[in-house]
């Protein structure tokens, strides 16, 4: 979770992530983790700037052959 997504406003004074969206995200991540656990896997969840968290996670894991990511699309007004 990138703290920058939960601070300040996005457009027209509305929060980037309000309490309902945040609750939905947290419940979704919890459900995904539980589903993966039932299948013998896991889900790594971290809080921080992705550019720092991913680096630290790669260092912690030691041998990483690939990293996949997406970039959030920003509205052009």
């Amino acid at each position: 979770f990138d703290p920058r997504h939960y601070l300040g406003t996005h457009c027209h004074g509305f929060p980037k992530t309000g309490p309902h969206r945040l609750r939905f995200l947290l419940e979704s991540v919890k459900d995904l983790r539980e589903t993966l656990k039932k299948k013998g896997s896991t889900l790594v969840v971290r809080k921080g700037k992705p550019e720092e968290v991913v680096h630290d996670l790669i260092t912690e894991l030691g041998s990483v052959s690939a990293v996949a990511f997406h970039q959030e699309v920003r509205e052009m007004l």
Side-chain angles (χ1 to χ4, degrees), residues 1 26 29-30 33 42-47 53 57:
F1 289 94
L26 293 173
V29 168
K30 180 181 177 184
R33 177 180 269 160
T42 190
L43 177 67
V44 176
V45 179
R46 298 287 191 267
K47 176 184 171 189
V53 172
L57 189 56

Side-chain angles (χ1 to χ4, degrees), residues 46 49-62:
R46 298 287 191 267
K49 294 179 180 177
E51 58 271 22
E52 296 171 359
V53 172
V54 171
H55 175 270
D56 293 346
L57 189 56
I58 290 170
T59 302
E60 179 183 325
L61 294 173

Side-chain angles (χ1 to χ4, degrees), residues 6-43:
Y6 309 97
L7 302 173
T9 60
H10 184 21
C11 292
H12 310 291
F14 291 105
K16 289 181 180 181
T17 303
H20 299 293
R21 181 174 182 211
L22 180 58
R23 181 179 15 224
F24 172 77
L25 290 171
L26 293 173
E27 289 173 356
S28 298
V29 168
K30 180 181 177 184
D31 183 64
L32 177 58
R33 177 180 269 160
E34 290 171 0
T35 300
L36 290 170
K37 188 174 181 180
K38 289 177 187 174
K39 296 181 181 286
S41 190
T42 190
L43 177 67

